[in-house]
């Protein structure tokens, strides 16, 4: 599915999932940064310890500078669960807010500043497609297939995996999730990111056992041929990370003598093979934080994290892997900083906006999939 079509599709899915979508009121749309900052700080003073703000690594500066915690999605959800705050305002995307709702206490309310911040990759594996694919794939084999979903997926997919003996994983522990699935069953179905799945299979020496399932052309797919392999990858991807290519690595090494390259495992296999370090956003942050002054590191992930690292570590030469062509996340972009001012002022006035709440049974199952991840 082309990138733009995917983004539009996923926004429609978000609108369907959450009927409490609210647009930014007109009076909030023309703030300059000084006025916005003043109003955000005023609302935070009024709310005190009743609110915690989470800022994902891929959010823009104007969001993360107000965040109590900055990190990756699961780390932030854990920080929210540990916080004694009535309100959790998540500067991220819908699946992240759902994850926060799954693991926080029932008396904590999760707010997403804009419901239009909906991850295209998560939207590439919606429940109806997965149900249909599961029926076809499992009918084509007597082997036990165990589903594993990346954290970057909606709560209903996490619940689906729990129902079928599977679990959730992060980019850091995907290999352990694969090992669990192959210990418990015969084959693993990994959703929704084929690149993370392929890189994980290579890590485990399973590169000869990979097949892809194309949910966009299932009618012509050969289920029997696909399930003849031990690793079945859903044909989904991150628009930002798929953009990187080996030529970007070659160019950055040509432009910067002694440059080293760190990339996210959502990148294509050939980019991962060309990099010096591969890891999650936490690993990327740690790599730069531990670099010696004067070292050059090219960052292969969403460009806002690169910009944060440039500010946080001015002693290190931090450059975007694909230069000016590097993309920001079009879903994260939907969290305009003015939305943050709006939802905070509304909370200070006693009104809840854009609340994300996972249905109780779905939450219970999704939590089981997360707990299973922690067990392995």
């Amino acid at each position: 599915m082309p990138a733009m079509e995917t983004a539009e599709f996923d926004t429609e899915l978000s609108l369907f999932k959450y009927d409490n979508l609210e647009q930014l009121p007109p009076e909030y749309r023309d703030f300059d940064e000084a006025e916005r900052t003043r109003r955000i700080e005023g609302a935070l003073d009024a709310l005190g310890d009743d609110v915690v703000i989470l800022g994902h690594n891929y959010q823009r500066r104007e969001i993360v500078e107000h965040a109590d915690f900055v990190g990756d999605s699961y780390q932030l959800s854990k920080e929210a669960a540990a916080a004694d705050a009535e309100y959790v305002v998540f500067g991220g995307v819908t699946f992240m807010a759902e994850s926060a709702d799954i693991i926080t206490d029932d008396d904590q309310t999760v707010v997403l500043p804009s419901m239009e911040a909906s991850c295209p990759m998560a939207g590439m594996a919606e429940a109806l497609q997965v149900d249909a694919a599961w029926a076809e794939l499992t009918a084509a084999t007597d082997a036990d297939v165990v589903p594993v979903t990346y954290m970057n997926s909606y709560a209903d997919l996490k619940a689906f995996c729990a129902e079928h003996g599977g679990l959730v994983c992060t980019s850091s522990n995907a290999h352990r999730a694969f090992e669990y699935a192959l210990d418990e069953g015969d084959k693993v179905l990994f959703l929704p990111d084929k690149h993370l799945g392929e890189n994980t299979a290579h890590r485990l020496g399973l590169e000869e056992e990979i097949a892809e399932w194309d949910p966009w052309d299932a009618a012509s797919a050969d289920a029997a041929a696909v399930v003849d392999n031990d690793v079945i990858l859903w044909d989904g991807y991150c628009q930002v990370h798929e953009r990187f290519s080996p030529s970007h690595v070659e160019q950055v090494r040509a432009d910067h003598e002694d440059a080293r390259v760190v990339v996210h495992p959502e990148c294509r296999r050939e980019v991962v093979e060309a990099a010096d370090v591969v890891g999650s956003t936490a690993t990327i942050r740690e790599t730069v934080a531990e670099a010696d002054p004067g070292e050059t590191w090219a960052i292969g992930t969403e460009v806002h994290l690169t910009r944060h690292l440039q500010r946080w570590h001015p002693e290190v030469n931090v450059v975007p892997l694909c230069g000016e062509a590097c993309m920001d996340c079009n879903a994260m972009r939907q969290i305009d900083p003015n939305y943050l001012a709006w939802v905070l002022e509304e909370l200070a006035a006693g009104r809840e906006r854009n609340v994300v709440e996972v249905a109780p049974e779905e939450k219970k199952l999704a939590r089981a999939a997360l707990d299973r991840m922690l067990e392995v």
Side-chain angles (χ1 to χ4, degrees), residues 259-278:
R260 301 185 69 191
V261 178
V262 54
V263 303
H264 196 281
E266 291 177 20
C267 292
R268 298 171 186 267
R269 178 68 200 158
E270 55 267 31
V271 175
V272 165
E273 289 177 330
D276 298 290
V277 178
V278 181

Side-chain angles (χ1 to χ4, degrees), residues 182-219:
L182 294 172
D183 284 342
E184 295 294 314
D186 305 304
K187 303 174 186 298
V188 56
L189 169 63
F190 184 72
L191 316 98
D193 184 3
K194 64 181 178 182
H195 297 308
L196 176 59
E198 182 181 8
N199 289 322
T200 302
H202 274 262
R203 176 173 179 172
L204 296 174
L206 298 171
E207 60 271 18
E208 300 300 323
E209 296 294 333
I210 298 173
E212 281 188 21
W213 178 262
D214 183 356
W216 315 109
D217 190 23

Side-chain angles (χ1 to χ4, degrees), residues 225-244:
V226 169
V227 296
D228 193 40
N229 297 270
D230 290 345
V231 179
I232 304 164
L233 304 179
W234 191 266
D235 189 11
Y237 56 89
C238 169
Q239 295 169 303
V240 169
H241 291 101
E242 191 172 66
R243 185 180 182 88
F244 295 109

Side-chain angles (χ1 to χ4, degrees), residues 98-246:
E98 285 185 338
S99 295
D101 185 56
I102 289 165
I103 71 171
T104 51
D105 292 338
D106 290 342
D107 59 357
Q108 290 180 286
T109 299
V110 178
V111 171
L112 187 66
S114 171
M115 288 293 194
E116 294 189 59
S118 191
C119 172
M121 180 168 66
M124 291 181 187
E126 68 153 337
L128 289 175
Q129 283 180 307
V130 176
D131 284 341
W134 181 259
E136 189 166 354
L137 291 168
T138 54
T141 181
D142 292 328
D144 290 329
V145 183
V146 177
V148 176
T149 187
Y150 189 21
M151 187 68 69
N152 299 27
S153 59
Y154 289 117
D156 53 7
L157 184 51
K158 294 180 174 72
F160 172 92
C161 288
E163 282 188 292
H164 295 281
L167 69 164
V168 178
C169 73
T170 66
S171 59
S172 298
N173 62 29
H175 63 293
R176 296 189 183 278
F178 271 50
E179 290 171 338
Y180 172 88
L182 294 172
D183 284 342
E184 295 294 314
D186 305 304
K187 303 174 186 298
V188 56
L189 169 63
F190 184 72
L191 316 98
D193 184 3
K194 64 181 178 182
H195 297 308
L196 176 59
E198 182 181 8
N199 289 322
T200 302
H202 274 262
R203 176 173 179 172
L204 296 174
L206 298 171
E207 60 271 18
E208 300 300 323
E209 296 294 333
I210 298 173
E212 281 188 21
W213 178 262
D214 183 356
W216 315 109
D217 190 23
S220 62
D222 186 344
V226 169
V227 296
D228 193 40
N229 297 270
D230 290 345
V231 179
I232 304 164
L233 304 179
W234 191 266
D235 189 11
Y237 56 89
C238 169
Q239 295 169 303
V240 169
H241 291 101
E242 191 172 66
R243 185 180 182 88
F244 295 109
S245 70

